[in-house]
Amino acid sequence: DYYQAVEVDGGGAWHRFRHVTLPLSWPATYSVIILSFIGGLRSFDLIWTMTRGGPGFTSDVIASIIYKQYQAGFFGLSTAGNVLLFLIVTAIVVPLTYVLGKRQVAV
């Protein structure tokens, strides 16, 4: 057990937290960060339900612009918007995955 090893080595509560608890909880934290970021970029339902992107275009996000183009019948433009959204999310998540993935610990 990791916690018993820290006690045997003479480590206190701070060492147990810093060197055992944080590294072992990092994969879950890493997943939450990545999924929250992706969910934030795809926020659509709450904004659309409350304001429909208005007044004017003040509360528009990428997803609501794509949806408006789809409703207007511009299917090619909405598809291009989806591809653009995919590329933006990928361009941000891949480096973030690389940076955050370095901190994972082999158990």
Side-chain angles (χ1 to χ4, degrees), residues 42-54:
R42 297 189 63 232
S43 62
F44 169 74
D45 53 349
L46 183 62
I47 295 171
W48 188 256
T49 302
M50 294 184 70
T51 65
R52 299 219 184 262

Side-chain angles (χ1 to χ4, degrees), residues 70-87:
Y70 182 78
Q71 275 187 330
F74 299 118
F75 303 117
L77 193 58
S78 64
T79 303
N82 280 321
V83 170
L84 183 66
L85 180 62
F86 171 75
L87 292 175

